Amino acid sequence: MVEHLVYTEFWSVFAVCLRDRRRAALPVAANRTMKLGSTVATVGFPNIGLQGFAPKFARREIGPLSGSQDDARYFQISVPVEPGNSGGALVDERGNVVGVLSAMLSMKAALATSGAFPQNVNYAVKSSFLLGFLESVPEIAAKLKEPNAKDMKFDVVEQAKEATALVLVY
């Protein structure tokens, strides 16, 4: 059984650790159903030094269907993202992963360009890129769940919390 896999793409790194079997897997859905204004949510561990070790929940919307400078690999999202959220799942209202939190707009660049600080201008890699990665790993591809197709009949927050783990790097 594979315990740790790291694969790199020219633009991103995805890592999968299969060691913690207690974590629930979330289904990954193709992101083509997402629209401007679609509601999305995340659970993460932002700024543990200031905010503590308890998981934090945030729900907002998808802004543009592209990232900075119209980069089609990303969604722009209004979900607050802080250090500690990166790599976390962005889930839709059905509990499907539709993206991976990846970046926030640089305050320095925004201030230099527009004279203003950005507010909740953040980015997530679209799930279509995540699916491509996951399907390329046979040990994972065989275990992918079918996306949830019906409206919530379960607690999305609780499912996202159960699938989220704090990763500390020293």
Side-chain angles (χ1 to χ4, degrees):
M1 179 72 65
V2 176
E3 289 192 356
H4 185 80
L5 302 169
V6 177
Y7 289 81
T8 60
E9 299 286 336
F10 69 95
W11 53 273
S12 185
V13 175
F14 286 117
V16 176
C17 179
L18 302 175
R19 190 172 287 197
D20 187 354
R21 308 256 187 258
R22 296 169 294 168
R23 296 283 161 204
L26 295 172
V28 181
N31 54 270
R32 62 183 167 265
T33 62
M34 302 309 293
K35 296 180 172 106
L36 183 70
S38 291
T39 299
V40 289
T42 190
V43 173
F45 299 91
N47 286 322
I48 58 172
L50 292 172
Q51 298 182 43
F53 288 92
K56 312 297 183 287
F57 169 76
R59 181 186 337 227
R60 295 286 196 293
E61 294 82 28
I62 289 185
L65 298 175
S66 58
S68 181
Q69 299 181 337
D70 298 321
D71 190 334
R73 296 172 294 186
Y74 298 90
F75 289 124
Q76 180 179 316
I77 56 175
S78 61
V79 175
V81 174
E82 301 290 335
N85 285 118
S86 296
L90 185 70
V91 297
D92 65 11
E93 292 180 306
R94 295 177 176 146
N96 298 311
V97 175
V98 294
V100 177
L101 300 177
S102 60
M104 46 190 193
L105 184 62
S106 164
M107 286 193 179
K108 185 178 178 180
L111 187 61
T113 307
S114 68
F117 288 112
Q119 294 185 16
N120 291 330
V121 180
N122 303 305
Y123 303 98
V125 176
K126 292 178 179 178
S127 58
S128 57
F129 293 96
L130 175 62
L131 271 172
F133 162 72
L134 294 174
E135 290 172 344
S136 73
V137 183
E139 294 93 338
I140 296 172
K143 296 178 182 176
L144 289 175
K145 292 182 172 184
E146 288 296 318
N148 298 319
K150 296 185 179 187
D151 288 341
M152 294 186 331
K153 291 188 178 178
F154 54 87
D155 187 350
V156 171
V157 177
E158 193 59 34
Q159 281 210 336
K161 188 174 101 178
E162 291 301 316
T164 303
L166 173 61
V167 177
L168 297 173
V169 179
Y170 296 99

